[in-house]
Structures are given as C-alpha cells and as structure tokens.
C-alpha cells in the first residue's frame, strides 16, 4: 500500500511539472526563450536543492559518475529534440514517440540485460497502455506538412527518453539503491551547466535577458522545478521497490491521463469520445499493473 501511494504521488508530481511548465510557457511573451531558461533553471534547481538537502555530501562512485554524466548529455539531447520536433510537425506524433520510447526501450533493455521478467497480465497491460497513448493523441495525429528533419528528431526523442530511464535504473541496480543524491546532482546540474555553456557559445544574450520575468512566471517556474525535483527523488527510490518497466508504464500513462484531464478542467478543452476511451484504457492498464 505504501509503494502504491508513493507511485501515485510520483505521477501527480510529474503531472504538476507538465502543468506548471505549460503555465510558465503561456505566461511568457512571444519570442522569449522558454526552453533554454527552463533547462538551465530546472537542472540547477534540482542539483543545488539536492546538495543542500544532503548537507553537501557528494561522494559518487565511478559507476554513478559514468551514469550521471552520460544521463546529463542524454537529458540535454532529449530537451533539444523536443524543441526541434515541436517546430517541425505534429505534436501528437511527437508525444507518442516520446511515450512509446519511455516504455518500450527500457522494457527491451531490462528483459535482455537486467533479467526482468513480466507476467502475461503485465504484458497485456503495457499493450493496452500503448494503445491508449494513440487514442489520447489521435486528434491532430498526422505527418502531413512535417519538415524533413521532423522524423529524425522524433527518433531521437524515442531513444533518449528510453535511455534516460535505463540509466536511472542501471545506476540504482548497480549501487543497490545507494547514491541517489549523487545521481541527481550529476544528471541535472550537469545538464544545466552544459545548456548554459552551449547557449553562451550560441547567443549569450539569452543568459541575461531570458531570465528577466514577471512574478507570475517565476512562481510557475519554481513550482515546476520543485515538483520535478521531488518526483525525481521519488522515482529513484521507487525503482528499488517496483519493476522498472511497470513503473515507467504507470508513470508515462498516469501523467498523460492527468494532463488530458487538466486540459479539460483547467483550460476548458473538450474531450472527444476517442480520448475518453483512451483514458479508460490507460486507467484499466494501471489497475492491471497494480496486481
């Protein structure tokens, strides 16, 4: 029961990350750089907050150094691919590639290299979840008018979202659940520093002007960073209690369901019958994976 509660809180927190990021983006004026400001702020917040909470204890093993720094690059590439893909084609298709990658890539890796075995019921539940992703994103799902680079960026999203999960799980498995704080610091602070260096080379004006924002934008940004940081700590802990494939399936599906519901109740977007069917399937999948 405690594990189920932790997973539920983790999903809600990740959905808050998406919600507050949307509110932060909407509160910014057109033309203002949102993605770079968020990447630097989010990474720095998660890394520094983790160091503060741990009393600045930082003693990563070689395994954690390797997994953390590689994951920092993976997270940076994921953010870049999400930005580039959003400008070149269907957001629905982009999200399906993201969600499918977050489930299927770790599932294959865990089965081949981590000795993870799923039951027939769990496989069926994961299949239902993947179908629900398509149904909830069916509206607007088209490649018509996409740029030539759209599909390659979507493939990169698919791969990096899966690799991010694999590296988190691998580090926790190799270290028997230890050095979670070090892993978070290396991943997120590393990503923040890399983002800042790249932006400094490209256009350093963003590093000064981009961080000027209204009080409302700042509140949304801080709420987003806080939700994401706590959620990341939870996911690393829960990985020691739940099969990684099951956890990431529930996480991706739960966040998508809540995001669709937020759109309906907070932003007054109307749900289609197909989306409702997708929500029902996703909910059924989560219930099946809970057994």
């Amino acid at each position: 029961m405690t594990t189920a509660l932790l997973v539920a809180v983790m999903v809600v927190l990740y959905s808050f990350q998406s919600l507050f990021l949307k509110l932060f983006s909407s509160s910014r004026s057109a033309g203002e750089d949102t993605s770079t400001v968020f990447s630097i702020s989010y990474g720095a917040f998660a890394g520094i907050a983790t160091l503060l909470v741990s009393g600045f204890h930082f003693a990563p093993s070689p395994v954690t150094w390797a997994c953390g720094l590689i994951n920092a690059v993976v997270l940076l590439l994921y953010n870049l691919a999400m930005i580039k893909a959003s400008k070149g084609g269907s957001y629905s298709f982009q999200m399906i590639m993201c969600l499918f990658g977050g489930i299927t890539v770790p599932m294959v890796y865990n089965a081949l290299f981590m000795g993870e075995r799923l039951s027939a019921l769990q496989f069926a539940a994961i299949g239902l979840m993947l179908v629900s992703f398509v149904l909830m994103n069916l509206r607007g799902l088209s490649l018509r008018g996409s740029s030539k680079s759209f599909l390659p960026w979507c493939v990169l999203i698919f791969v990096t979202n899966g690799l991010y999960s694999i590296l988190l799980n691998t580090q926790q498995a190799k270290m028997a659940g230890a050095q979670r704080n070090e892993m978070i610091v290396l991943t997120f602070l590393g990503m923040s520093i890399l983002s800042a260096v790249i932006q400094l080379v490209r256009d350093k004006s963003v590093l000064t002007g981009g961080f000027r924002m209204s009080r409302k934008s700042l509140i949304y940004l801080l709420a987003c960073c806080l939700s994401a940081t706590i959620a990341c700590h939870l996911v690393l802990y829960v990985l020691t209690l739940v099969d990684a494939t099951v956890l990431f399936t529930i996480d991706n599906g739960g966040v998508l369901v809540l995001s669709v519901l937020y759109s309906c109740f907070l932003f007054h977007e109307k749900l289609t019958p197909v989306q409702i069917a997708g929500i029902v399937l996703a909910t059924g999948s989560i219930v099946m994976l809970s057994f």
Side-chain angles (χ1 to χ4, degrees):
M1 187 65 182
T2 303
T3 301
L5 180 61
L6 288 174
V7 172
V9 171
M10 180 196 73
V11 170
V12 170
L13 286 170
Y14 272 128
S15 74
F16 282 169
Q17 176 190 350
S18 299
L19 173 63
F20 286 121
L21 179 57
K22 178 179 176 63
L23 291 171
F24 171 64
S25 300
S26 300
S27 69
R28 303 271 283 175
S29 301
E32 287 186 306
D33 190 299
T34 297
S35 57
T36 302
V37 171
F38 171 72
S39 294
I40 295 173
S41 302
Y42 170 33
F45 185 99
I48 294 171
T50 300
L51 283 173
L52 286 170
V53 170
S54 65
F56 288 92
H57 174 75
F58 184 73
S61 66
V63 169
T64 303
W65 271 108
C67 290
L69 292 179
I70 292 171
N71 223 14
V73 176
V74 168
L75 189 56
L76 181 66
L77 289 174
Y78 170 80
N79 289 336
L80 175 65
M82 288 291 284
I83 296 164
K84 294 292 186 181
S86 66
K87 298 177 180 178
S90 165
Y91 181 71
S92 295
F93 185 84
Q94 175 183 338
M95 287 307 300
I96 287 176
M97 291 292 284
C98 174
L99 296 167
F100 271 52
I103 293 175
T104 58
V105 174
M107 181 173 68
V108 172
Y109 178 86
N110 293 334
L112 293 177
F113 302 106
M114 303 295 284
E116 184 178 283
R117 295 292 180 266
L118 300 176
S119 66
L121 180 65
Q122 289 172 323
F123 270 118
I126 291 169
L128 278 180
M129 185 67 78
L130 296 177
V131 172
S132 77
F133 290 165
V134 175
L135 293 178
M136 281 187 277
N137 287 282
L138 193 60
R139 184 168 56 183
L141 185 61
S142 172
L143 293 178
R144 185 179 300 172
S146 299
S147 66
K148 292 181 179 179
S149 62
F150 177 67
L151 279 178
W153 285 121
C154 285
V155 171
L156 184 58
I157 291 170
F158 179 92
V159 173
T160 52
N161 197 28
L163 282 178
Y164 173 80
S165 301
I166 287 171
L167 286 162
L168 289 181
N169 187 40
T170 298
Q171 187 273 336
Q172 284 295 278
K174 295 291 185 183
M175 299 305 301
Q179 299 188 4
R180 289 191 291 269
N181 291 336
E182 284 86 347
M183 183 63 178
I184 290 172
V185 170
L186 288 169
T187 297
F188 290 94
L189 197 54
M191 184 271 293
S192 178
I193 293 170
L194 283 172
S195 297
V197 170
I198 291 172
Q199 190 58 53
L200 188 63
V201 173
R202 293 175 57 192
D203 181 10
K204 62 182 180 181
S205 65
V206 172
L207 298 180
T208 52
F211 286 90
R212 296 193 190 98
M213 63 186 73
S214 66
R215 181 179 298 179
K216 180 188 292 187
S217 295
L218 180 60
I219 290 172
Y220 289 147
L221 179 60
L222 290 176
C224 178
C225 292
L226 180 61
S227 301
T229 300
I230 298 173
C232 187
H233 279 272
L234 271 178
V235 76
L236 283 174
Y237 175 70
V238 177
L239 275 171
T240 64
L241 306 173
V242 180
D243 286 339
T245 301
V246 172
L247 179 62
F248 292 128
T249 301
I250 293 174
D251 180 35
N252 282 281
V255 170
L256 180 58
V257 168
L258 289 176
S259 296
V260 172
L261 293 177
Y262 293 154
S263 297
C264 176
F265 292 108
L266 298 179
F267 305 112
H268 309 294
E269 295 180 9
K270 291 185 178 180
L271 291 179
T272 66
V274 174
Q275 285 178 311
I276 294 172
I279 291 173
V280 172
L281 282 182
T283 304
S285 172
I286 291 172
V287 172
M288 291 167 67
L289 288 169
S290 300
F291 290 109

